Structures are given as C-alpha cells and as structure tokens.
Amino acid sequence: MDVVKEVKLLKYQMSLMKHMINTEEHSFFMFAIDHEFEEGQVKAFLKILGVFSCRIYGEDISTWYQNDQLFSRFNLPLDKLYASEQPTLEKLKSVVAKIFYQGFELEYLLCSLKKQFIQAEVCDFFLQRLKTDLK
C-alpha cells in the first residue's frame, strides 16, 4: 500500500475512533487527538504535571529524574523544571508552548485533564490562577 493510501486509511480510522470514544470520560484523549499530539509530547507533559504536583505539595522530586531524556527534545531546562518552589502559571504556559508548538486555550487543556481525573489537583491549582489572572 502506498503512503497516500495509508494516510487516508489512518485518517478514516481516526474518524471512526473519535465516534467511539466517550468524550465525557476521555476528554483529554479526545483533546490530544483533535490537536494531533504525539506520544512523546503527551508523556512529557503528564510527567511535568507530576513534577508540578510534587512541587505544589512540597514532596521530594528526586525520583522524577529517572527519565530526563523525555524532556531533551523540548529544550526544557531541568534545573528550573525540578526547582523546589511552587510552579507558576507563566512556567506552565512556557512548558506548554515548548512541548506542543501550537496555540490553544490553556483552560480547555486543564479542564480536559481534570474531567479525566488526570492530575486533577494540579489542574485545579492552575485553573484557580487562570481565574485570578483574568481579573
């Protein structure tokens, strides 16, 4: 099968899968599909949310150093990523821009993660900051 036919087939299969996915239960996965996120992007971002969770709650981050090559392609400075202070909304925006290379509403990303119960506390932390930032 030639490349054009394979791409058309994959697009059709993706379209079918989108109809099968319950958006309410898998809102982040649908967000990732709609924005064409790559696996490495999703893995890196979810790991960063875990790091931010540790930073928010003052937990030890040393165990998070295990898979640093995950971040290398995104040019993320590890010393700033693994800093012990509270993460900021500006830092989250910077990380999102470096990982996803595209613009979208950060609130939608955070809400889709929260609806799927992925780092819901971290999402709440940043959603609160977004609300106060908009005032």
Side-chain angles (χ1 to χ4, degrees):
M1 185 179 300
D2 70 10
V3 175
V4 174
K5 284 184 178 181
E6 283 186 55
V7 169
K8 284 182 178 183
L9 177 61
L10 286 171
K11 285 185 176 192
Y12 175 67
Q13 290 171 339
M14 287 293 296
S15 173
L16 291 175
M17 286 177 29
K18 287 172 80 173
H19 291 292
M20 295 172 16
I21 295 174
N22 180 339
T23 306
E24 290 300 312
E25 289 180 25
H26 305 287
S27 57
F28 173 67
F29 294 155
M30 188 63 79
F31 190 92
I33 290 170
D34 287 343
H35 289 85
E36 299 178 353
F37 294 165
E38 297 172 11
E39 181 180 10
Q41 291 172 303
V42 171
K43 284 182 176 183
F45 185 66
L46 294 180
K47 185 161 184 152
I48 288 169
L49 289 179
V51 170
F52 283 171
S53 177
C54 289
R55 287 173 59 181
I56 290 168
Y57 295 108
E59 298 171 4
D60 180 36
I61 305 173
S62 63
T63 58
W64 290 93
Y65 278 103
Q66 295 171 356
N67 199 9
D68 289 343
Q69 72 273 7
L70 188 62
F71 304 125
S72 61
R73 83 178 244 218
F74 303 111
N75 197 24
L76 294 168
L78 297 179
D79 58 333
K80 292 184 181 177
L81 182 62
Y82 292 117
S84 58
E85 71 264 1
Q86 293 271 309
T88 64
L89 189 56
E90 292 74 31
K91 184 62 181 171
L92 176 66
K93 288 177 181 179
S94 169
V95 165
V96 166
K98 287 182 179 184
I99 290 178
F100 296 117
Y101 321 116
Q102 59 180 292
F104 49 79
E105 289 293 324
L106 186 58
E107 182 178 5
Y108 292 130
L109 172 63
L110 293 169
C111 287
S112 72
L113 286 158
K114 183 179 172 181
K115 278 178 98 174
Q116 201 168 322
F117 305 104
I118 299 172
Q119 294 289 353
E121 298 84 13
V122 176
C123 294
D124 281 335
F125 177 86
F126 286 115
L127 286 167
Q128 280 299 115
R129 272 135 191 90
L130 271 175
K131 285 180 186 174
T132 57
D133 203 35
L134 294 175
K135 292 181 180 177

